[in-house]
Amino acid sequence: MAFDPEKAQRIWMTVQQVPCGKVSSYGFIADLAGLPGRARMVGKVMQYAPEAMALPWHRILKSNGQIAFQAGSESARLQTELLRLEGVEVINNRVRLSRYGWQPALGELLLMEF
DNA sequence: ACAGTGACAAGTC
DNA sequence: AGACTTGCCACTG
């Protein structure tokens, strides 16, 4: 693996925190993982995520709520389906962050501190 | 070393 | 609501 395994670990762990029925963004995950401004790295690292980890990758969207994959692609179609199964409305390839965006409580943030 | 690309983001117009 | 620009950083040729 070419990437830094420690950073990847933090990113994956952070993604795991996103609860079912809620969504988050690449930039936000990067921030929580202690990598502000590195949204692109989040997407890169997600590609290498082990299948066994069962990462909720479908809960991660662009900062504007849109699905990151090319509209109409197989991945995008699967992502919208997974989201709808969790009760998240996906209209025209995007989600209303004002409604489904994940707002982690202070306690949750402190909990992942180690 | 260097330029192009990408599961991104924020600012400007 | 677009389109364009800059800032990011890892990866690839």
Side-chain angles (χ1 to χ4, degrees):
Chain A
M1 46 227 89
F3 56 86
D4 186 340
E6 188 197 326
K7 289 175 185 166
Q9 195 73 12
R10 287 215 305 275
I11 290 173
W12 290 331
M13 183 191 70
T14 305
V15 174
Q16 289 281 23
Q17 311 298 313
V18 183
C20 177
K22 292 289 180 183
V23 299
S24 190
S25 71
Y26 292 91
F28 196 58
I29 293 297
D31 288 349
L32 291 184
L35 300 166
R38 274 158 235 161
R40 302 195 84 118
M41 187 191 282
V42 174
K44 183 62 73 177
V45 165
M46 302 258 285
Q47 293 186 331
Y48 296 100
E51 184 68 33
M53 190 175 292
L55 212 64
W57 58 272
H58 54 281
R59 302 190 189 130
I60 310 303
L61 310 167
K62 291 194 188 184
S63 62
N64 61 4
Q66 279 192 327
I67 286 180
F69 292 109
Q70 189 178 8
S73 68
E74 192 57 26
S75 299
R77 193 192 62 70
L78 174 60
Q79 184 168 12
T80 62
E81 185 173 336
L82 289 173
L83 286 172
R84 282 176 178 152
L85 286 177
E86 298 183 351
V88 176
E89 285 182 277
V90 183
I91 293 97
N92 201 352
N93 226 70
R94 79 197 292 175
V95 173
R96 293 202 186 263
L97 291 180
S98 56
R99 179 166 171 187
Y100 297 104
W102 174 46
Q103 263 84 12
L106 187 57
E108 303 181 59
L109 294 179
L110 296 175
L111 195 60
M112 56 185 259
E113 198 55 51
F114 72 95

